[in-house]
Amino acid sequence: MVRKNRGYITLFLLPTVALFIIVYAVSLVILFSTSFTEWSAGRSPVFIGLANYIKLFTDDADFRQSALNTGIWVVLQSTVHVAIGTLFAVILSMKEFYWKFARTVYMFPNIISGAAVGMLFLCMLNPEFGAVNSIVRLFGNADYSQNWFMDYATAFLSVTMTWLPYAAVVTILILAEIAAIPESLFESARIDGASNFKINLYIIIPMLRNIIGTCVILSGTSMLQKMDIILMTTGGGPGNQTMNLPIYIYKTALMDNNFGYSNSVGVFLIGFGLIFVLLCRNLFRIGSSQN
Amino acid sequence: MLKKSLGVLKYGFVILIVLLSLGPFLWVLLASFKTNAEILSNSLGWPSSFRFSNYTKAFQIAPISRFYINSVIVGIFGTLLNLLLLGMAAYVLARFHFRGKKLLMGAFSLSLLIPGAAMLQPLYLTVNALGLYDKLIGLIIVYTGFGLPVSLYILSSYFLTIPKEMEESAYLDGASFIQTFFRIILPISKPGFGTAGVMQFLLCWNEFQFAIILTTGNQSRTLPLALYYFKSQFASDYGVMFAATMVVIIPSIVVYILLQEQVVSGLAAGAVKG
């Protein structure tokens, strides 16, 4: 079949290969090669060796803060966020009356545009009329006007709260995996007198190692992309309190027009992601058989 | 005793999660019907009447209808182009063995490992060089590419479930390769295309960071950008700001509620790659 259809096979693959080259391959070549250059808008790139990287690691407080924040968010998302989603999935898997409703509603913040999520929280946490401050005022403190997103003490926490609890994707993935566990396992456990709590702890959770590993990778790497919510709410501020690597790349590339430098941050971001993925794959032994 | 307190904890957790998910949405929805004075004096209460003036005003203050049309165009064509190209590629990769196939698959799955933000400046450059800056077609091509790994995976797994005999009998009847693909394979793969299509549409509809760097004028900006650019214009009129937020959110929620099963299976399929 292959010989006769070789022409068609090429024809069917060609557009996707072209797409891949335009969007990914060319980008990677530009990214790596210009990360070793001094290059701003309207000029041609000049080779400067490792100077961009040396500056990044020795003399750039904004970069350090961005990398640190990104790291903290990756860790929080791959632990706390995954734990919340897993716990919720285990509860929903008992299929009590509310489970479908809860699953649907939990997905709302994940399905709407990040820009809109940012806007929702900007309104909720508004110092004057936001729901959160209004609730605090209800309990007596009539002049309470915490500016959540602009106060140094609360900005980082407020931004974190816009994504940390919303683990519906984790919940959906784990629910699907629980549904695939053979019923006979539960039955024999029940016959042996195990309680629901024990079944969850000793049977379900260990069976989920692979999928939890996948969720850790997905949730962690999603933090390497977060830009929309931050840009909508704090813009990286106050100061550089809530800056992360994507915001930093956006600022250096498109506001300062410092292309070569921003691309060295891009290379760092890719390397950061690769190391994280490799670490998780080893930690959870993804791909190897269960137990 | 232990059992009872565990039960209380469980329901407490469920209620907390539902409140966190639904609360902000409902609060902004209610506030979008309030006047400015009501929002300031009665932030937590019910609106005095369900007036739509904030919504009509939102459409007057910002060119939201223009942004809306742009988002619909980008969503529809970004999805159709992605399904057509990736459908063809996935079919060939799922059905035939040829030299270089492993290399190709490896390269395609590499695209999952590149955070979009790293490509901000390079793609900005490429899109400019192609003369597609500030054009909807530029966004459509970039989004078609972003959906490459997920669509490829969902579609090729679907094609693998179709028995080979389907095509063989078509060939015996004298159908050509192209006819077999478009007349036999496409119609029976509708569920696979449905799942991939919903994921791709949501990607196009919600995408923000490349929309912001690849467009500059109102004639090619998409809906998520409306909130960003008109935040300051809306700022004096809170009710309008709430209404504009709802206008952006509601289509995503409607698509999700109508096509929930596709989204759920699309997420599950997409994640296996991780």
Side-chain angles (χ1 to χ4, degrees):
Chain A
M1 217 149 81
V2 172
R3 187 171 301 264
K4 201 174 74 193
N5 293 323
R6 184 161 292 161
Y8 289 118
I9 291 177
T10 318
L11 183 74
F12 269 42
L13 281 172
L14 219 52
T16 299
V17 172
L19 188 67
F20 177 78
I21 291 174
I22 292 175
V23 175
Y24 296 98
V26 170
S27 298
L28 283 181
V29 172
I30 296 174
L31 186 76
F32 279 97
S33 57
T34 63
S35 73
F36 302 103
T37 64
E38 162 92 55
W39 181 27
S40 50
R43 304 236 183 94
S44 23
V46 178
F47 183 77
I48 50 165
L50 289 172
N52 285 334
Y53 292 95
I54 292 167
K55 187 173 173 218
L56 271 189
F57 292 113
T58 56
D59 183 29
D60 187 342
D62 280 351
F63 169 77
R64 262 202 304 275
Q65 186 68 42
S66 304
L68 179 70
N69 285 345
T70 307
I72 294 174
W73 277 327
V74 166
V75 170
L76 282 177
Q77 203 74 354
S78 51
T79 52
V80 179
H81 176 87
V82 172
I84 293 173
T86 308
L87 184 60
F88 201 51
V90 170
I91 292 174
L92 293 191
S93 73
M94 297 168 190
K95 304 264 155 98
E96 291 181 44
F97 64 97
Y98 54 80
W99 83 275
K100 263 212 152 135
F101 169 77
R103 188 189 72 171
T104 306
V105 166
Y106 195 25
M107 195 66 193
F108 281 8
N110 291 80
I111 217 75
I112 61 185
S113 167
V117 175
M119 204 67 190
L120 282 184
F121 275 89
L122 211 53
C123 298
M124 286 291 288
L125 296 178
N126 183 290
E128 265 181 280
F129 58 76
V132 173
N133 282 358
S134 301
I135 291 171
V136 176
R137 280 182 216 136
L138 218 56
F139 290 99
N141 193 347
D143 313 313
Y144 193 77
S145 62
Q146 176 65 35
N147 194 343
W148 295 92
F149 280 121
M150 282 302 138
D151 188 324
Y152 274 84
T154 53
F156 189 84
L157 179 74
S158 304
V159 171
T160 307
M161 284 306 285
T162 65
W163 53 62
L164 196 66
Y166 300 111
V169 175
V170 174
T171 298
I172 281 179
L173 295 180
I174 292 192
L175 265 178
E177 193 79 2
I178 293 177
I181 297 176
E183 189 57 31
S184 56
L185 256 176
F186 299 114
E187 272 160 26
S188 52
R190 272 194 206 101
I191 291 167
D192 291 343
S195 67
N196 267 334
F197 180 67
K198 277 195 171 151
I199 290 180
N200 285 329
L201 197 63
Y202 295 113
I203 300 189
I204 297 189
I205 303 277
M207 295 279 292
L208 298 176
R209 195 194 73 219
N210 255 330
I211 192 72
I212 289 178
T214 305
C215 289
V216 166
I217 292 179
L218 283 176
S219 308
T221 50
S222 76
M223 285 295 112
L224 308 177
Q225 320 253 27
K226 277 284 178 236
M227 188 170 121
D228 39 16
I229 295 183
I230 300 178
L231 215 50
M232 283 301 292
T233 52
T234 63
N240 55 17
Q241 282 289 298
T242 59
M243 232 183 227
N244 68 352
L245 292 171
I247 294 278
Y248 190 60
I249 290 173
Y250 174 74
K251 291 211 153 142
T252 44
L254 294 138
M255 306 196 133
D256 311 340
N257 285 320
N258 199 347
F259 296 162
Y261 195 61
S262 100
N263 283 346
S264 66
V265 183
V267 171
F268 177 82
L269 181 64
I270 292 182
F272 190 97
L274 283 179
I275 291 170
F276 173 73
V277 170
L278 285 177
L279 267 176
C280 292
R281 291 189 75 95
N282 275 319
L283 198 65
F284 288 90
R285 288 164 298 159
I286 287 180
S288 67
S289 64
Q290 300 282 358
N291 81 64
Chain B
M1 194 56 210
L2 177 73
K3 208 170 171 188
K4 210 167 172 189
S5 46
L6 270 178
V8 171
L9 272 179
K10 184 177 81 175
Y11 288 116
F13 182 66
V14 172
I15 291 168
L16 181 69
I17 290 280
V18 169
L19 273 182
L20 279 175
S21 310
L22 211 51
F25 173 74
L26 287 180
W27 181 75
V28 171
L29 181 68
L30 281 181
S32 72
F33 299 109
K34 291 178 183 170
T35 62
N36 260 344
E38 271 181 277
I39 288 167
L40 288 168
S41 63
N42 176 26
S43 154
L44 296 172
W46 205 253
S48 57
S49 75
F50 281 90
R51 59 182 86 74
F52 281 88
S53 56
N54 286 332
Y55 285 85
T56 48
K57 233 171 157 183
F59 277 88
Q60 284 161 8
I61 291 180
I64 290 187
S65 39
R66 180 73 248 171
F67 286 32
Y68 227 109
I69 296 168
N70 290 342
S71 269
V72 170
I73 294 174
V74 170
I76 289 179
F77 288 99
T79 305
L80 287 181
L81 187 65
N82 175 279
L83 293 184
L84 176 69
L85 301 193
L86 272 303
M88 284 160 48
Y91 174 65
V92 168
L93 289 171
R95 266 299 187 265
F96 301 97
H97 295 281
F98 50 88
R99 240 189 324 162
K101 178 172 153 177
K102 274 231 167 96
L103 183 79
L104 212 54
M105 304 267 270
F108 287 160
S109 49
L110 194 77
S111 54
L112 265 185
L113 291 172
I114 306 168
M119 303 196 296
L120 273 182
Q121 193 276 332
L123 265 179
Y124 171 77
L125 194 74
T126 310
V127 168
N128 257 312
L130 293 172
L132 300 176
Y133 180 70
D134 201 25
K135 296 204 170 90
L136 292 180
I137 178 83
L139 287 182
I140 291 171
I141 290 175
V142 168
Y143 295 165
T144 303
F146 285 169
L148 187 151
V150 171
S151 292
L152 186 73
Y153 186 76
I154 294 175
L155 292 172
S156 58
S157 347
Y158 199 88
F159 291 140
L160 285 172
T161 65
I162 301 171
K164 272 198 167 129
E165 289 74 33
M166 297 286 299
E167 287 131 288
E168 276 155 16
S169 61
Y171 286 127
L172 284 180
D173 291 344
S176 71
F177 187 91
I178 303 266
Q179 279 172 331
T180 313
F181 178 71
F182 284 101
R183 297 244 177 96
I184 312 283
I185 299 295
L186 280 197
I188 46 177
S189 310
K190 263 189 202 147
F193 279 98
T195 303
V198 172
M199 301 314 282
Q200 176 68 15
F201 182 81
L202 287 172
L203 185 156
C204 295
W205 188 265
N206 291 336
E207 209 285 334
F208 181 83
Q209 58 182 359
F210 283 88
I212 205 170
I213 65 152
L214 296 179
T215 61
T216 181
N218 287 343
Q219 72 280 358
S220 51
R221 280 180 180 149
T222 53
L223 206 48
L225 300 186
L227 295 176
Y228 184 67
Y229 283 105
F230 296 98
K231 208 167 73 177
S232 46
Q233 264 98 321
F234 292 141
S236 55
D237 205 334
Y238 310 126
V240 177
M241 184 163 75
F242 291 127
T245 309
M246 276 299 127
V247 166
V248 177
I249 291 177
I250 285 169
S252 304
I253 301 237
V254 170
V255 168
Y256 172 61
I257 289 179
L258 291 179
L259 301 168
Q260 200 181 150
E261 290 314 314
Q262 272 88 347
V263 175
V264 169
S265 57
L267 284 172
V272 187
K273 288 241 47 154

